[in-house]
């Protein structure tokens, strides 16, 4: 779990940097608040865009397959 949280943290940091590239004048805490706002809107964005939802479901399936396949192969 700790490893997964670390990976997630790295990806959030990359996303914050990406958002900051759109408006470099924003202060660090403002960019983090912007990211939080985007995260808050994501469920509706997925619900309202069947293609995005399909992409998310496919990514989830690939992740489960890869992780469970690796766990099986390592036993």
């Amino acid at each position: 779990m700790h490893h997964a949280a670390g990976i997630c943290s790295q990806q959030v940091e990359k996303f914050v940097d990406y958002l900051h590239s759109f408006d470099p004048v924003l202060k660090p805490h403002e960019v983090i608040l912007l990211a939080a706002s985007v995260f808050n809107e994501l469920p509706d964005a997925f619900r309202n865009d069947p293609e995005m939802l399909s992409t998310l479901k496919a990514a989830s399936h690939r992740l489960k397959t890869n992780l469970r396949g690796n766990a099986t192969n390592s036993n």
Side-chain angles (χ1 to χ4, degrees):
M1 182 70 157
H2 181 71
H3 180 67
I7 291 171
C8 184
S9 177
Q10 290 172 348
Q11 294 303 313
V12 168
E13 186 174 335
K14 287 180 185 180
F15 184 64
V16 167
D17 290 343
Y18 173 73
L19 291 177
H20 200 214
S21 73
F22 289 108
D23 193 349
V25 178
L26 288 174
K27 296 176 181 175
H29 73 278
E30 294 171 329
V31 181
I32 292 169
L33 291 172
L34 176 59
S37 176
V38 171
F39 293 145
N40 189 56
E41 297 298 323
L42 280 177
D44 285 339
F46 283 111
R47 275 192 289 274
N48 295 325
D49 187 330
E51 188 174 337
M52 263 179 69
L53 185 57
S54 178
T55 299
L56 177 64
K57 287 179 179 181
S60 176
H61 177 75
R62 281 191 308 276
L63 179 68
K64 288 186 292 190
T65 300
N66 289 339
L67 291 176
R68 292 175 184 166
N70 288 339
T72 302
N73 292 336
S74 66
N75 290 333

